[in-house]
Amino acid sequence: MNTSPRPAATAAKAEAQSSGGASLFSVLVIILAFIVSVVVYKFVLGDASHFQGGNNENNPNAGDYLGVVYKGGFIVPVLMTMLLCVITFSIERALTISKAKGSKSIEAFVRTVRQKLNTNDINGALAACDQQKGSVANVVKAGLLKYNEMGRDRTMATDQKILAIQKEIEESTALELPMLEKNLVIISTLASIATLVGLLGTVFGMIRAFAALAQAGTPDAVALANGISEALINTALGIGTSALAIVAYNYFTSKIDELTYSIDEAGFSIIQTFAAQHGNTQPAQTV
């Protein structure tokens, strides 16, 4: 018997719509980041004023790091795209998780809910949810509403009521958690491939450097310097982007784990309180 007011089909549809919106946002961010990176690479880093003789084929001016980065080659815009994506998705996740926490401390909110439940003040707990807002409050509110519904029900046994409350909390959690975990897979992917792309650029740079050394007669010093610059710049960008992505991914994962723990703690309190207060309730007998 499905006692949940939110049908499973509706939950799946809402999750699918949310996933579709997130995918579109992710694609747009990646495309825009690539466009911005190419424009910056060609017209900012590759501006002739950064190079000797006003030609970006020459060595960069002494101390001009923009020209040095430009010498990283065509892999640089790709790495810049990854870096911009990591920064953008990190900001987006930070805002989303901050909003999911609600207006006050999660620990204080869960403590308030438990206190209200201990005094059987369900309306007070619901008011605390309305005041807190956020994902944790949404899940707790759904559980409390089901708590009230099961408290008025006289046709079900206590075990069935507890299962109904638990199911409602689980369904609400299943709707909220995907919103918290969106785009984290992109950040984790960038953490893995940024270093590899940087190493690919390093290989290309070293190929150019050794090609300059292999020339007959005097090696081309400019080509040699450009090849070494390409190798070092790509290595630095790849490692830096990967390190930032790893830190961001681990940070947001830990924050999501904290929210999940808070949801579990509040849900356990709801179920425990209901079991304690309605433990002897028996279903009404049909004559």
Side-chain angles (χ1 to χ4, degrees):
M1 179 178 180
N2 185 11
T3 58
S4 174
R6 183 187 297 107
T10 302
K13 182 178 179 181
E15 184 174 346
Q17 291 175 344
S18 178
S19 177
S23 300
L24 178 61
F25 171 77
S26 302
V27 171
L28 289 176
V29 167
I30 294 172
I31 293 175
L32 289 176
F34 179 72
I35 293 173
V36 170
S37 298
V38 171
V39 170
V40 170
Y41 177 75
K42 285 186 173 295
F43 300 104
V44 178
L45 302 180
D47 187 83
S49 62
H50 302 304
F51 301 90
Q52 297 175 4
N55 185 355
N56 57 19
E57 296 296 328
N58 298 330
N59 285 333
N61 296 324
D64 195 325
Y65 292 102
L66 295 180
V68 172
V69 174
Y70 178 82
K71 286 302 179 180
F74 70 94
I75 297 292
V76 169
V78 178
L79 291 170
M80 289 175 62
T81 300
M82 294 181 178
L83 179 59
L84 288 177
C85 286
V86 171
I87 294 174
T88 302
F89 288 128
S90 296
I91 294 174
E92 185 267 340
R93 284 297 85 197
L95 295 175
T96 299
I97 293 177
S98 177
K99 182 178 179 181
K101 287 182 177 180
S103 58
K104 297 181 180 180
S105 168
I106 288 293
E107 292 78 9
F109 167 70
V110 173
R111 186 165 55 250
T112 299
V113 170
R114 296 183 67 175
Q115 291 173 351
K116 298 294 184 182
L117 288 174
N118 290 335
T119 58
N120 199 27
D121 184 8
I122 305 301
N123 291 331
L126 288 170
C129 292
D130 292 334
Q131 184 179 9
Q132 177 72 14
K133 301 179 181 179
S135 296
V136 177
N138 290 340
V139 174
V140 174
K141 184 176 181 179
L144 292 172
L145 292 175
K146 178 60 68 173
Y147 183 108
N148 272 340
E149 180 184 341
M150 292 297 100
R152 296 190 299 266
D153 192 290
R154 296 294 181 267
T155 62
M156 299 172 61
T158 300
D159 290 344
Q160 293 176 313
K161 295 178 179 180
I162 292 175
L163 288 176
I165 296 173
Q166 185 175 4
K167 183 177 181 180
E168 178 67 17
I169 294 174
E170 291 175 352
E171 289 184 356
S172 299
T173 303
L175 285 176
E176 296 290 342
L177 284 185
M179 181 191 70
L180 300 177
E181 296 173 348
K182 289 175 187 174
N183 300 325
L184 282 184
V185 65
I186 297 178
I187 295 178
S188 65
T189 301
L190 292 174
S192 300
I193 67 175
T195 302
L196 298 178
V197 175
L199 290 176
L200 181 63
T202 302
V203 172
F204 288 151
M206 296 308 297
I207 290 174
R208 290 180 57 185
F210 281 103
L213 287 174
Q215 291 181 359
T218 305
D220 187 344
V222 175
L224 178 61
N226 287 343
I228 295 175
S229 295
E230 181 175 347
L232 297 179
I233 290 299
N234 285 315
T235 301
L237 282 176
I239 294 176
T241 301
S242 180
L244 179 61
I246 292 172
V247 171
Y249 179 81
N250 290 335
Y251 174 78
F252 294 128
T253 299
S254 66
K255 291 299 180 181
I256 292 173
D257 289 342
E258 291 178 7
L259 294 179
T260 303
Y261 175 78
S262 298
I263 290 174
D264 292 340
E265 183 181 5
F268 178 77
S269 297
I270 293 173
I271 294 172
Q272 188 179 45
T273 302
F274 186 90
Q277 296 183 357
H278 302 271
N280 297 323
T281 301
Q282 299 295 328
Q285 300 294 328
T286 302
V287 181

